[in-house]
Amino acid sequence: MTEPLSFEKSRPNVHAPRLPDAGVAAAEVGDVLPPELLRSQAPALPRLSEPEVMRHYSRLASMNYSISEQFYPLGSCTMKYNPVANEAAASLPGFTTLHPYQDEETVQGALELMWRLEQALCAVVGVDRVTLQPAAGAHGEWTALRMIQAFHRSRGEARTEVLVPDSAHGTNPASAALSGFQVVEVASGPDGRISLADLEAKLSSRVAALMLTNPNTLGLFEREILDIAELVHNTGAKLYYDGANLNALMGVCRPGDMGFDAVHMNLHKTFTTPHGGGGPGAGPVGVKADLVPFLPTPTVERTNGHLKLDFKRPQSIGRVRSFYGNFGMLVRAYTYIVAMGGDGLTQASMDAVLSANYLRKRVEGLLDLPHEGPCMHEFVASARNLAPNGIKALDVAKGLLERDFYAPTIYFPLVVPEAIMVEPTETESKPTLDAFADAIAEIVIEAKEDPEKLHHEPHSLPVGRLDEVATARRINAYLQGQSEDPILRWKPVRD
Ligand SMILES: *Cc1c(COP(=O)(O)O)cnc(C)c1O
């Protein structure tokens, strides 16, 4: 790193900016807080002048890579442009000054927004009701599985298994396991789609649900979805749709119409609310009528234009998030939907699929394409054709970083060796897609002519090639008690 930590730059005699007096006397603090909770020493915070602090953070920000400057071809992640209009709406004082404990009579506008967003999402995915509470996609999966579990229990059935295809996103088996289900894997066939024979073999009266995503994580549409739905429903199980990425479908077809009973959506992917960096997301869940009684409380109800929160839902799985979910994300997603309109959302899907197919065609012959096209909103290539040159998917990704692109998702899905998963989204222009394809072409030439050079990229970024092997070895040794704590954070030197 070229920028030292603020702690390292700290100078003991610098005066901090002067702040207005807090108006609380030390004696009063002692009255309200127990003495054992009061500090005896000032915290060891760095001391820098105001311009030094500002320059420190500006320099760090300039080392960052972000969607506002560059392209993220991150498969299964839908990193599209976040429209500034969303931010303008979310920062309206009527939204930013709300308090979650306000009486519902005083927040009718906020409730109306939630109600309308629910209607819009119901229309996009074809379900009867939506809960906006879950804070992320994985949280939505978990919420939906709890509802499915409650549904089966209400009928006196203790179903213990959840089926998950081998190409599924890792959160699917994790959510099922966290809900107390046993995860049973279903194999993909050679065409990258779920094997109906294996599905039939694994279906039984023990199965609570099949979790699917369509198009699947290889970017392929499961053409036999109606047969799959019938097989699953015939055994009394529910069909769950991982709708983290709806970018191929909006306005074209709906999970509800394909026979899915529950769907989660990632507002921070398809609906342009910012994501990455662990910031707040939102993973609403839509359900068909059968599952509606089990929705988390409260639901937002509207009668004759008056809105209220309904807490009296005896079969509800309860609250899954404090208050009403990440409200700011709901405002952004609603703004996006209204700005786009139904036609705009349909166009976005068409363009996303076109972009993916265009890029897929452009990398044909450069990387392996293990599955036949066309693809939907993303495609999976493989770097295994570069194995004879000693080049792996990781090297291609690092070469892209060197050429000022974010790296695509690599080594996922697990069913493709040396996977490179690309999702360009609809918000990227043809020149950007071409520049990306040109960069891949350049990397493939370098892989063949000078693989050693590629092994050492990137050179031009604040952080170069990390020694991942040594890191893994060291962390493993630490976990097995054979070495000291790896140094993962800065600690002050105590004298
Ligand atoms: C991103 C993603 C998830 C998980 O969403 P989070 O908001 O990261 O929890 C689940 N499934 C698929 C297919 C995804 O792409």
Side-chain angles (χ1 to χ4, degrees), residues 138-254:
H139 193 195
E141 294 169 23
W142 178 85
T143 302
L145 288 170
R146 301 316 298 246
M147 285 191 257
I148 290 172
Q149 196 169 48
F151 167 83
H152 290 308
R153 283 185 183 155
S154 75
R155 296 154 52 97
E157 291 183 2
R159 292 175 178 251
T160 53
E161 294 176 0
V162 166
L163 305 187
V164 179
D166 56 9
S167 66
H169 194 270
T171 50
N172 292 186
S175 302
L178 205 63
S179 294
F181 287 110
Q182 200 185 323
V183 179
V184 178
E185 196 171 279
V186 184
S188 306
D191 65 348
R193 293 173 174 85
I194 191 170
S195 153
L196 278 197
D198 197 45
L199 174 63
E200 278 196 81
K202 306 231 160 115
L203 274 170
S204 74
S205 58
R206 292 186 303 278
V207 173
L210 166 66
M211 299 180 85
L212 262 194
T213 175
N214 193 19
N216 66 23
T217 52
L218 295 167
L220 302 172
F221 194 80
E222 298 282 358
R223 299 190 200 101
E224 292 176 289
I225 186 59
L226 297 178
D227 296 331
I228 294 172
E230 195 178 325
L231 281 174
V232 169
H233 289 149
N234 282 347
T235 63
K238 292 287 182 201
L239 194 54
Y240 177 81
Y241 188 92
D242 178 336
N245 315 293
L246 291 169
N247 236 24
L249 296 197
M250 289 183 295
V252 180
C253 62
R254 311 192 303 173

Side-chain angles (χ1 to χ4, degrees), residues 357-492:
N357 278 287
Y358 178 71
L359 260 191
R360 185 180 183 280
K361 196 73 197 163
R362 285 232 35 200
V363 305
E364 203 174 63
L366 298 171
L367 297 169
D368 264 15
L369 291 170
H371 305 288
E372 218 179 286
C375 62
M376 294 291 125
H377 61 302
E378 61 192 0
F379 68 92
V380 179
S382 166
R384 67 186 167 195
N385 60 317
L386 303 176
N389 308 93
I391 293 298
K392 303 176 71 61
L394 181 73
D395 298 304
V396 176
K398 299 288 186 188
L400 282 166
L401 296 183
E402 176 66 16
R403 286 158 185 82
D404 225 15
F405 289 99
Y406 199 80
T409 301
I410 53 172
Y411 300 111
F412 173 79
L414 304 175
V415 290
V416 173
E418 299 299 323
I420 296 181
M421 185 189 207
V422 176
E423 181 184 2
T425 82
E426 77 284 7
T427 56
E428 297 302 331
S429 66
K430 183 168 176 292
T432 303
L433 302 185
D434 281 329
F436 178 74
D438 292 345
I440 298 227
E442 193 181 298
I443 290 166
V444 169
I445 291 172
E446 189 172 296
K448 292 179 178 163
E449 292 178 353
D450 193 357
E452 215 26 50
K453 183 159 172 236
L454 189 52
H455 278 310
H456 291 98
E457 289 177 4
H459 304 292
S460 56
L461 300 182
V463 177
R465 186 70 80 106
L466 302 175
D467 190 344
E468 300 191 21
V469 176
T471 309
R473 201 179 290 140
R474 185 144 173 210
I475 289 178
N476 275 332
Y478 167 66
L479 293 175
Q480 289 159 16
Q482 292 160 1
S483 82
E484 282 183 23
D485 191 350
I487 304 164
L488 299 178
R489 67 185 173 97
W490 185 85
K491 289 178 189 163

